[in-house]
Amino acid sequence: MRHNKHSLVLVLVFFLLLPLLSGCWDAMEMERRANVLAIGIDEADEIDQKKDGEVAHLKDSFLKPKGKLMKMTVQIAIPGRIPLGPDQGGEQKPVLVMSVVGHTLEDALINLQQQIADQVFLGHLRIIVLNEKVAKRGTKRLHDVLRRNPEIRRTAALVVSKEAASQYMKLMPGLDRVPSLYLADMVDNLSALGRFPPSFIGLFWTIYSSKGQEAYLPYLTIKQKGIIELKGLAYFKEDKMVGKTSPLEIGVFMAVKGDSEGGYGAFVQVPDTDEMVMVRVRSRKNKMKIERKNGLPHIRLKIRYECEIDEKASFKMKLNDSRVLKSIEKETAKDMKKSIEKLIAKTQAAGSDVFGFGEHFRAKLPQYWNSEIKTKENWARAFQQLTYDVKVDAKIHRVGMKAK
């Protein structure tokens, strides 16, 4: 009797454990997937307009979105050619570049799948490049499919390009054997180097959805021999790009926004002389006070820069003189104050609060926000009437040493 009970227990345990031995029912080998590493999106030209795959709609059917087609160019990893170790030589390209068109991004992805035997997989997508014309026309028609697709990582990079996005897909940079990885790493490392605030597609969607801030993205351009340069910051109003900054103004933007990590340097003229020195910002401290003044939103902004002198243009200048250093500090603060006021005025003219001032008013003056602002559109108008006081202090801690 005891033996029968023991056998019954073993049978029950066997049937309970059986489902765990079934494995992954939907598993798919990597070699059977078309792994998309990068996507470039442009407006389709007249020639591309004729390349509609007509996969998701019938020819001349009214059951299709209106408007111009978009051109999507992708980098697809070729199995076995992505380098995982030291270069073994050879001229085989690690990625395949393909272009398709579509009325929407999902339509373009369907047309892409029609030309590829393996399943298109976006789980390894590292970067999306938007041409400037696409960004200015509006990114709203791209958001839906990107936000609904569970394969797309929220940490993927999103950038705006001066040139056609398809050109970035075809670049072969010398510093990395996989073009998309080099481009994505470049964008990711900008934050670590203090050259750009944190920027990825998930953060872009978060800011886009907020009521008191407009979105921003890195603005890239291609120099000679395929060298990619960070040319500025593209700022948006709702889903449309409305302007861009210069590279140096990125540092100004980071100071107003409150990013502590420095990374930019600028020439400063020594007062009462014709000499110049290169002053580099190492860190920043930001204090902001918000209030209402004469019925309008008002901000008191105080920024302190911690700097060092990297270079002087003349050997005659004596940097060990405290009076000279004090004069350089005052001139540095004066120049930075002008730059901050100029950038705020520029974004005000476009109605683009990329600094997030509105979020501060929304958090700290909720009664004012709920009674008079309420919406993102109303804040865009209020931001254009915003008044501000800017105070800047600069402290030079090091002037460096010279080897002898």
Side-chain angles (χ1 to χ4, degrees):
M1 187 69 177
R2 185 177 299 177
H3 178 73
N4 292 337
K5 288 183 179 180
H6 183 68
S7 300
L8 182 60
V9 170
L10 289 177
V11 171
L12 290 174
V13 171
F14 172 77
F15 280 105
L16 288 175
L17 295 178
L18 187 62
L20 301 179
L21 303 176
S22 59
C24 299
W25 62 272
D26 62 344
M28 180 177 292
E29 298 295 333
M30 292 294 293
E31 290 78 7
R32 296 179 59 189
R33 283 176 170 170
N35 295 293
V36 177
L37 303 179
I39 294 177
I41 301 176
D42 299 292
E43 288 188 346
D45 56 27
E46 293 183 3
I47 298 177
D48 293 326
Q49 293 279 345
K50 302 176 183 179
K51 297 179 180 179
D52 187 4
E54 299 176 358
V55 178
H57 60 86
L58 297 176
K59 186 177 181 181
D60 300 327
S61 172
F62 65 91
L63 297 174
K64 61 183 179 181
K66 297 180 180 179
K68 295 183 65 176
L69 294 172
M70 67 173 64
K71 177 182 178 181
M72 183 182 74
T73 307
V74 300
Q75 283 186 8
I76 300 176
I78 300 177
R81 295 191 188 177
I82 298 296
L84 301 177
D87 191 0
Q88 301 296 325
E91 299 296 329
Q92 291 184 328
K93 294 182 179 180
V95 294
L96 172 67
V97 178
M98 296 182 62
S99 293
V100 292
V101 297
H103 293 276
T104 64
L105 185 57
E106 180 63 22
D107 185 28
L109 288 170
I110 292 174
N111 291 334
L112 177 65
Q113 183 65 79
Q114 199 73 2
Q115 302 177 27
I116 299 177
D118 297 326
Q119 179 184 347
V120 173
F121 181 66
L122 301 178
H124 295 291
L125 179 65
R126 292 292 307 275
I127 188 166
I128 302 174
V129 182
L130 304 178
N131 176 251
E132 185 175 357
K133 293 180 181 179
V134 174
K136 288 182 176 179
R137 185 176 292 272
T139 61
K140 189 177 295 184
R141 60 177 180 162
L142 307 174
H143 289 177
D144 194 59
V145 63
L146 293 176
R147 298 177 78 167
R148 285 177 184 273
N149 194 317
E151 294 177 353
I152 296 177
R153 303 180 185 183
R154 277 23 182 184
T155 55
L158 182 64
V159 301
V160 177
S161 65
K162 179 180 179 181
E163 298 81 9
S166 60
Q167 294 187 33
Y168 289 77
M169 300 298 103
K170 299 173 184 177
L171 288 177
M172 298 298 293
L175 292 176
D176 200 308
R177 287 167 285 170
V178 184
S180 56
L181 300 185
Y182 171 78
L183 186 56
D185 288 341
M186 175 185 175
V187 177
D188 292 343
N189 292 336
L190 290 175
S191 177
L193 296 173
R195 313 297 292 180
F196 202 88
S199 176
F200 46 90
I201 194 169
L203 180 60
F204 178 83
W205 291 334
T206 299
I207 297 175
Y208 172 76
S209 301
S210 66
K211 295 182 179 180
Q213 186 177 4
E214 300 290 354
Y216 56 87
L217 291 174
Y219 181 77
L220 306 181
T221 186
I222 299 175
K223 307 296 285 186
Q224 66 278 4
K225 296 183 180 180
I227 301 299
I228 301 171
E229 178 183 13
L230 176 63
K231 196 62 176 178
L233 175 144
Y235 50 91
F236 288 69
K237 183 177 181 180
E238 295 186 358
D239 70 313
K240 295 180 175 63
M241 175 183 166
V242 292
K244 57 181 180 292
T245 72
S246 67
L248 186 58
E249 285 179 319
I250 299 175
V252 177
F253 166 76
M254 294 174 68
V256 177
K257 190 172 174 290
D259 291 326
S260 61
E261 187 70 24
Y264 282 88
F267 284 109
V268 176
Q269 184 172 358
V270 181
D272 302 323
T273 70
D274 295 329
E275 306 297 338
M276 307 287 289
V277 293
M278 173 66 76
V279 178
R280 180 176 295 276
V281 177
R282 290 304 180 188
S283 63
R284 317 175 186 89
K285 294 181 180 179
N286 177 304
K287 290 185 178 180
M288 184 186 303
K289 183 179 179 181
I290 64 170
E291 59 187 5
R292 295 189 68 187
K293 186 176 181 181
N294 300 323
L296 298 175
H298 182 81
I299 284 183
R300 299 182 186 275
L301 188 63
K302 184 177 181 181
I303 301 174
R304 179 180 176 86
Y305 286 89
E306 308 293 336
C307 312
E308 63 183 43
I309 295 178
D310 275 358
E311 183 183 24
K312 61 180 183 178
S314 173
F315 290 102
K316 299 179 181 179
M317 188 184 308
K318 302 297 182 181
L319 294 180
N320 55 359
D321 189 332
S322 61
R323 291 173 299 177
V324 174
L325 289 179
K326 287 293 182 183
S327 66
I328 295 175
E329 288 175 346
K330 290 181 179 180
E331 192 67 19
T332 301
K334 179 182 175 182
D335 291 348
M336 291 177 174
K337 183 176 185 294
K338 288 181 179 179
S339 298
I340 290 171
E341 293 173 341
K342 181 180 177 182
L343 182 59
I344 294 176
K346 181 193 292 189
T347 56
Q348 278 186 304
S352 175
D353 179 13
V354 287
F355 309 106
F357 293 149
E359 288 298 296
H360 288 273
F361 280 95
R362 186 180 171 209
K364 299 175 183 177
L365 297 178
Q367 187 175 359
Y368 160 69
W369 183 275
N370 294 331
S371 62
E372 299 188 29
I373 303 299
K374 299 181 181 179
T375 66
K376 193 167 189 173
E377 294 77 12
N378 290 340
W379 173 248
R381 290 189 287 269
F383 173 65
Q384 292 181 311
Q385 298 178 322
L386 176 89
T387 57
Y388 48 87
D389 295 323
V390 179
K391 182 179 180 181
V392 178
D393 293 324
K395 180 65 176 178
I396 297 175
H397 289 276
R398 294 184 293 180
V399 297
M401 298 178 63
K402 293 192 301 181
K404 294 183 179 180

